[in-house]
Short mmCIF file of all heavy atoms in Angstrom, two decimals:
data_model
loop_
_atom_site.label_atom_id
_atom_site.label_comp_id
_atom_site.label_asym_id
_atom_site.label_seq_id
_atom_site.Cartn_x
_atom_site.Cartn_y
_atom_site.Cartn_z
N GLU A 23 -26.83 -5.55 -10.79
CA GLU A 23 -28.06 -4.81 -11.07
C GLU A 23 -28.43 -5.00 -12.55
O GLU A 23 -27.55 -5.22 -13.38
CB GLU A 23 -27.81 -3.30 -10.80
CG GLU A 23 -27.40 -2.95 -9.38
CD GLU A 23 -25.91 -3.13 -9.16
OE1 GLU A 23 -25.20 -3.62 -10.09
OE2 GLU A 23 -25.47 -2.87 -8.05
N LEU A 34 -38.58 4.68 -13.00
CA LEU A 34 -38.10 4.41 -11.66
C LEU A 34 -38.32 5.61 -10.74
O LEU A 34 -38.68 5.50 -9.64
CB LEU A 34 -36.65 4.06 -11.74
CG LEU A 34 -35.93 3.60 -10.41
CD1 LEU A 34 -36.55 2.32 -9.95
CD2 LEU A 34 -34.42 3.44 -10.69
N GLY A 39 -43.90 2.27 -6.07
CA GLY A 39 -43.94 0.92 -5.54
C GLY A 39 -42.81 0.58 -4.60
O GLY A 39 -41.84 1.34 -4.51
N ARG A 40 -42.92 -0.59 -3.92
CA ARG A 40 -41.85 -0.97 -2.96
C ARG A 40 -41.16 -2.26 -3.41
O ARG A 40 -40.43 -2.88 -2.65
CB ARG A 40 -42.50 -1.27 -1.61
CG ARG A 40 -43.02 -0.04 -0.86
CD ARG A 40 -43.68 -0.51 0.42
NE ARG A 40 -42.81 -1.48 1.09
CZ ARG A 40 -43.29 -2.36 1.99
NH1 ARG A 40 -44.54 -2.38 2.34
NH2 ARG A 40 -42.44 -3.19 2.55
N GLY A 41 -41.34 -2.68 -4.64
CA GLY A 41 -40.79 -3.97 -5.11
C GLY A 41 -39.30 -4.02 -4.99
O GLY A 41 -38.60 -2.97 -4.96
N SER A 42 -38.77 -5.24 -5.10
CA SER A 42 -37.31 -5.42 -5.03
C SER A 42 -36.63 -4.77 -6.18
O SER A 42 -35.47 -4.46 -6.11
CB SER A 42 -36.96 -6.91 -4.89
OG SER A 42 -37.43 -7.61 -6.07
N LEU A 43 -37.31 -4.65 -7.35
CA LEU A 43 -36.68 -4.00 -8.48
C LEU A 43 -36.27 -2.61 -8.16
O LEU A 43 -35.19 -2.15 -8.51
CB LEU A 43 -37.67 -3.99 -9.67
CG LEU A 43 -37.25 -3.20 -10.92
CD1 LEU A 43 -35.99 -3.88 -11.46
CD2 LEU A 43 -38.32 -3.13 -11.91
N LEU A 44 -37.09 -1.93 -7.34
CA LEU A 44 -36.80 -0.53 -6.96
C LEU A 44 -35.51 -0.40 -6.16
O LEU A 44 -34.67 0.39 -6.45
CB LEU A 44 -37.96 0.03 -6.21
CG LEU A 44 -37.77 1.41 -5.57
CD1 LEU A 44 -37.64 2.45 -6.66
CD2 LEU A 44 -38.91 1.76 -4.67
N THR A 45 -35.39 -1.26 -5.13
CA THR A 45 -34.29 -1.04 -4.16
C THR A 45 -33.06 -1.82 -4.53
O THR A 45 -31.97 -1.38 -4.30
CB THR A 45 -34.74 -1.43 -2.79
OG1 THR A 45 -35.18 -2.79 -2.77
CG2 THR A 45 -35.91 -0.51 -2.32
N ARG A 46 -33.25 -3.08 -4.99
CA ARG A 46 -32.06 -3.99 -5.19
C ARG A 46 -31.44 -3.76 -6.56
O ARG A 46 -30.22 -3.66 -6.70
CB ARG A 46 -32.45 -5.38 -4.98
CG ARG A 46 -32.58 -5.80 -3.52
CD ARG A 46 -32.77 -7.28 -3.41
NE ARG A 46 -32.86 -7.72 -2.04
CZ ARG A 46 -31.85 -7.99 -1.28
NH1 ARG A 46 -30.64 -7.89 -1.77
NH2 ARG A 46 -31.98 -8.37 -0.07
N ARG A 47 -32.27 -3.82 -7.62
CA ARG A 47 -31.67 -3.89 -8.96
C ARG A 47 -31.94 -2.61 -9.74
O ARG A 47 -31.22 -2.33 -10.68
CB ARG A 47 -32.31 -5.09 -9.70
CG ARG A 47 -31.92 -6.40 -9.03
CD ARG A 47 -32.52 -7.55 -9.84
NE ARG A 47 -32.28 -8.81 -9.14
CZ ARG A 47 -31.14 -9.53 -9.35
NH1 ARG A 47 -30.22 -9.11 -10.10
NH2 ARG A 47 -31.00 -10.71 -8.70
N GLY A 48 -32.96 -1.90 -9.41
CA GLY A 48 -33.30 -0.70 -10.18
C GLY A 48 -32.36 0.44 -10.07
O GLY A 48 -32.12 1.17 -11.04
N ILE A 49 -31.77 0.62 -8.89
CA ILE A 49 -30.86 1.77 -8.60
C ILE A 49 -29.46 1.33 -8.93
O ILE A 49 -28.80 0.67 -8.10
CB ILE A 49 -31.02 2.26 -7.16
CG1 ILE A 49 -32.46 2.58 -6.82
CG2 ILE A 49 -30.15 3.52 -7.00
CD1 ILE A 49 -32.68 2.91 -5.38
N THR A 50 -28.97 1.72 -10.08
CA THR A 50 -27.65 1.40 -10.49
C THR A 50 -26.72 2.60 -10.37
O THR A 50 -27.18 3.70 -10.16
CB THR A 50 -27.65 0.88 -11.96
OG1 THR A 50 -28.05 2.03 -12.80
CG2 THR A 50 -28.58 -0.24 -12.15
N CYS A 117 -23.04 -8.28 -1.32
CA CYS A 117 -23.53 -7.04 -1.83
C CYS A 117 -22.39 -6.01 -1.99
O CYS A 117 -21.80 -5.52 -1.02
CB CYS A 117 -24.54 -6.44 -0.83
SG CYS A 117 -25.12 -4.77 -1.31
N TRP A 119 -22.66 -3.02 -2.96
CA TRP A 119 -23.05 -1.65 -2.48
C TRP A 119 -22.61 -1.43 -1.02
O TRP A 119 -22.45 -0.25 -0.60
CB TRP A 119 -24.55 -1.48 -2.65
CG TRP A 119 -24.93 -1.38 -4.05
CD1 TRP A 119 -25.11 -2.39 -4.95
CD2 TRP A 119 -25.13 -0.16 -4.81
NE1 TRP A 119 -25.46 -1.90 -6.18
CE2 TRP A 119 -25.51 -0.57 -6.15
CE3 TRP A 119 -25.13 1.18 -4.45
CZ2 TRP A 119 -25.78 0.42 -7.11
CZ3 TRP A 119 -25.42 2.11 -5.41
CH2 TRP A 119 -25.74 1.74 -6.74
N VAL A 130 -24.09 2.15 -0.48
CA VAL A 130 -25.43 1.90 -0.06
C VAL A 130 -26.04 3.16 0.54
O VAL A 130 -27.27 3.37 0.46
CB VAL A 130 -25.50 0.73 0.95
CG1 VAL A 130 -24.92 1.11 2.27
CG2 VAL A 130 -26.93 0.22 1.11
N LYS A 133 -27.42 5.13 -2.26
CA LYS A 133 -28.66 4.50 -2.69
C LYS A 133 -29.84 4.94 -1.79
O LYS A 133 -30.94 5.29 -2.23
CB LYS A 133 -28.57 3.02 -2.71
CG LYS A 133 -29.78 2.30 -3.18
CD LYS A 133 -29.65 0.75 -3.06
CE LYS A 133 -28.77 0.23 -4.12
NZ LYS A 133 -28.79 -1.28 -4.16
N THR A 134 -29.57 4.97 -0.47
CA THR A 134 -30.57 5.44 0.46
C THR A 134 -30.93 6.92 0.22
O THR A 134 -32.10 7.26 0.29
CB THR A 134 -30.05 5.24 1.93
OG1 THR A 134 -29.71 3.88 2.11
CG2 THR A 134 -31.10 5.67 2.96
N TRP A 136 -30.82 8.43 -2.58
CA TRP A 136 -31.60 8.51 -3.79
C TRP A 136 -33.06 8.14 -3.45
O TRP A 136 -34.02 8.78 -3.92
CB TRP A 136 -31.07 7.50 -4.83
CG TRP A 136 -31.69 7.66 -6.19
CD1 TRP A 136 -31.22 8.33 -7.22
CD2 TRP A 136 -32.95 7.04 -6.60
NE1 TRP A 136 -32.07 8.20 -8.33
CE2 TRP A 136 -33.14 7.45 -7.95
CE3 TRP A 136 -33.89 6.25 -6.03
CZ2 TRP A 136 -34.27 7.07 -8.67
CZ3 TRP A 136 -35.02 5.88 -6.73
CH2 TRP A 136 -35.17 6.25 -8.03
N LEU A 137 -33.26 7.14 -2.62
CA LEU A 137 -34.62 6.74 -2.26
C LEU A 137 -35.32 7.80 -1.47
O LEU A 137 -36.52 8.11 -1.71
CB LEU A 137 -34.57 5.41 -1.45
CG LEU A 137 -34.26 4.14 -2.20
CD1 LEU A 137 -34.00 2.97 -1.30
CD2 LEU A 137 -35.45 3.80 -3.15
N GLN A 141 -38.12 8.40 -3.75
CA GLN A 141 -39.09 7.45 -3.25
C GLN A 141 -39.19 7.55 -1.73
O GLN A 141 -38.79 6.67 -0.99
CB GLN A 141 -38.67 6.03 -3.62
CG GLN A 141 -38.72 5.75 -5.12
CD GLN A 141 -40.14 5.61 -5.64
OE1 GLN A 141 -41.06 5.37 -4.85
NE2 GLN A 141 -40.35 5.82 -6.90
N ALA A 144 -40.56 4.70 0.27
CA ALA A 144 -40.02 3.34 0.12
C ALA A 144 -39.61 2.77 1.50
O ALA A 144 -39.26 3.47 2.41
CB ALA A 144 -38.81 3.40 -0.78
N ASP A 145 -39.65 1.44 1.57
CA ASP A 145 -39.28 0.71 2.78
C ASP A 145 -37.72 0.61 2.81
O ASP A 145 -37.12 -0.10 2.04
CB ASP A 145 -39.88 -0.64 2.74
CG ASP A 145 -39.59 -1.41 4.10
OD1 ASP A 145 -38.82 -0.92 4.86
OD2 ASP A 145 -40.20 -2.49 4.26
N MET A 146 -37.13 1.38 3.72
CA MET A 146 -35.65 1.41 3.73
C MET A 146 -35.03 0.12 4.21
O MET A 146 -33.83 -0.12 4.07
CB MET A 146 -35.18 2.56 4.69
CG MET A 146 -35.56 3.96 4.13
SD MET A 146 -34.89 4.22 2.46
CE MET A 146 -35.94 5.52 1.88
N SER A 147 -35.83 -0.74 4.82
CA SER A 147 -35.24 -2.00 5.25
C SER A 147 -34.81 -2.89 4.07
O SER A 147 -33.94 -3.72 4.17
CB SER A 147 -36.28 -2.77 6.11
OG SER A 147 -37.39 -3.16 5.25
N LEU A 148 -35.43 -2.62 2.88
CA LEU A 148 -35.04 -3.36 1.70
C LEU A 148 -33.65 -3.00 1.25
O LEU A 148 -32.99 -3.75 0.54
CB LEU A 148 -36.01 -3.10 0.60
CG LEU A 148 -37.46 -3.63 0.81
CD1 LEU A 148 -38.36 -3.22 -0.35
CD2 LEU A 148 -37.42 -5.14 1.07
N VAL A 149 -33.19 -1.82 1.65
CA VAL A 149 -31.84 -1.42 1.36
C VAL A 149 -30.91 -1.94 2.47
O VAL A 149 -29.86 -2.50 2.18
CB VAL A 149 -31.74 0.17 1.25
CG1 VAL A 149 -30.29 0.54 1.06
CG2 VAL A 149 -32.57 0.62 0.08
N SER A 150 -31.30 -1.74 3.73
CA SER A 150 -30.42 -2.01 4.79
C SER A 150 -30.10 -3.50 4.89
O SER A 150 -29.09 -3.91 5.36
CB SER A 150 -30.96 -1.50 6.11
OG SER A 150 -32.19 -2.10 6.38
N GLU A 151 -31.08 -4.36 4.45
CA GLU A 151 -30.86 -5.78 4.60
C GLU A 151 -29.70 -6.26 3.71
O GLU A 151 -29.03 -7.22 4.01
CB GLU A 151 -32.17 -6.53 4.23
CG GLU A 151 -32.51 -6.46 2.80
CD GLU A 151 -33.82 -7.18 2.49
OE1 GLU A 151 -34.46 -7.67 3.44
OE2 GLU A 151 -34.25 -7.29 1.32
N GLU A 152 -29.45 -5.53 2.61
CA GLU A 152 -28.30 -5.86 1.80
C GLU A 152 -26.97 -5.72 2.48
O GLU A 152 -26.00 -6.30 2.16
CB GLU A 152 -28.29 -4.99 0.52
CG GLU A 152 -29.53 -5.13 -0.37
CD GLU A 152 -29.53 -4.16 -1.49
OE1 GLU A 152 -28.55 -3.32 -1.57
OE2 GLU A 152 -30.43 -4.14 -2.37
#
Side-chain angles (χ1 to χ4, degrees):
E23 301 83 357
L34 185 63
R40 289 178 45 202
S42 61
L43 173 64
L44 172 66
T45 58
R46 282 188 178 273
R47 299 181 183 272
I49 307 174
T50 64
C117 174
W119 289 81
V130 72
K133 181 183 286 190
T134 303
W136 190 97
L137 285 169
Q141 293 287 338
D145 185 352
M146 294 303 160
S147 66
L148 294 177
V149 176
S150 60
E151 69 182 4
E152 299 175 357

